Amino acid sequence: MNNHYPFELPPLPYAYNALEPYLNAETLKFHHDKHFKSYVDHLNQALEKLTAYQNWPLERLIRENYRLPFQMQTAVWNNAGGVYNHNLYFNLMQSPGGKCPEGKLTNAIISAFGSLEKFEERFKQCAMKQFGSGYAWLAADCRGRLKVLNTLNQDTPLPRGLCPVLLVDVWEHAYYLQYQNRRGEYLDAFMHLINWTAAEENYRRCFGRPMMCCGRK
Ligand code: MN
């Protein structure tokens, strides 16, 4: 995907039915082809006349949103967040039966939460308590310490100086076709689909950047 305007909808990294039975093809197709696409299209529309910002990467549009013309800030914030979050989300799933977490991320999870099971419990609780639309996250601070947190709408952990490792989309559009209002069942299903290799890569990338929280007052 282009990391600046015009943004493109990245293809789904697996077949529509690859996550069945935990997430069915219909749910995935609507979520990726309609909802994700709509964030991409709206972000491009918002940036169409903002020529000075068309070379900004996605993360900068979020982090330095306050630099944009005031009347465009909300549209760019929501849609850049939508593109950023959905790109992460679809890349963090894979067909059921994938590898368990290992390596550096596993050690960090055990040291932060006690065990993988305890982490999953915290992550699910956090996703359950998100009122309305949003996400639950596993994110790292500048020292690599992990935190579970939730965010509203299309907000991201970036402005808090945190580096995303894993997230789950708890907007109803992510699960309603298959699970209706049963968010808990969707979350249990999601746990079978986590691509821990991708999460580990995200975690490793968190160390490659001169962060964020260290430089923030
Ligand atoms: Mn979504």
Side-chain angles (χ1 to χ4, degrees):
M1 173 165 92
N2 260 351
N3 199 24
H4 55 77
Y5 176 91
F7 291 94
E8 290 158 15
L9 179 69
L12 195 66
Y14 31 74
Y16 290 117
N17 64 0
L19 308 184
E20 290 185 347
Y22 297 108
L23 216 43
N24 66 27
E26 191 191 19
T27 303
L28 211 59
K29 194 166 168 53
F30 268 93
H31 197 181
H32 177 274
D33 294 7
K34 306 287 184 195
H35 293 281
F36 188 3
K37 182 171 189 301
S38 155
Y39 292 109
V40 173
D41 292 345
H42 284 105
L43 178 58
N44 285 333
Q45 274 169 31
L47 290 170
E48 207 173 351
K49 294 201 174 101
L50 298 177
T51 46
Y53 306 92
Q54 289 178 351
N55 63 348
W56 279 27
L58 193 56
E59 285 196 21
R60 189 172 180 198
L61 291 167
I62 297 168
R63 263 191 237 286
E64 297 181 40
N65 186 269
Y66 59 89
R67 292 178 186 264
L68 294 161
F70 182 73
Q71 70 279 12
M72 295 308 293
Q73 288 177 7
T74 304
V76 172
W77 176 267
N78 288 335
N79 291 296
V83 174
Y84 183 81
N85 294 339
H86 284 93
N87 195 41
L88 280 173
Y89 174 73
F90 290 112
N91 280 309
L92 277 160
M93 293 190 289
Q94 64 177 5
S95 296
K99 274 205 314 188
C100 288
E102 53 187 27
K104 202 170 177 169
L105 177 58
T106 315
N107 295 336
I109 286 176
I110 291 169
S111 106
F113 306 103
S115 68
L116 184 64
E117 292 69 29
K118 283 188 183 149
F119 156 69
E120 287 189 353
E121 211 174 289
R122 278 276 296 280
F123 188 66
K124 185 180 170 186
Q125 273 170 8
C126 184
M128 285 300 290
K129 79 170 192 212
Q130 171 56 42
F131 183 76
S133 296
Y135 295 83
W137 299 83
L138 175 68
D141 71 13
C142 58
R143 293 177 185 84
R145 287 177 305 211
L146 294 171
K147 294 173 194 308
V148 164
L149 68 151
N150 49 0
T151 56
L152 184 63
N153 295 327
Q154 295 299 351
D155 291 358
T156 74
L158 299 175
R160 300 188 210 180
L162 295 170
C163 176
V165 176
L166 176 71
L167 83 170
V168 63
D169 187 339
V170 293
W171 282 60
E172 281 186 344
H173 71 223
Y175 59 90
Y176 205 85
L177 286 175
Q178 185 171 356
Y179 293 99
Q180 291 79 48
N181 62 336
R182 302 186 305 279
R183 186 187 283 188
E185 278 181 41
Y186 158 69
L187 292 169
D188 290 337
F190 177 81
M191 300 301 175
H192 294 273
L193 301 173
I194 297 173
N195 182 338
W196 282 108
T197 307
E200 168 96 22
E201 278 166 21
N202 289 343
Y203 185 58
R204 285 175 184 277
R205 268 199 292 271
C206 293
F207 294 90
R209 39 217 268 177
M211 283 216 329
M212 292 165 193
C213 60
C214 301
R216 268 171 91 92
K217 301 282 179 278

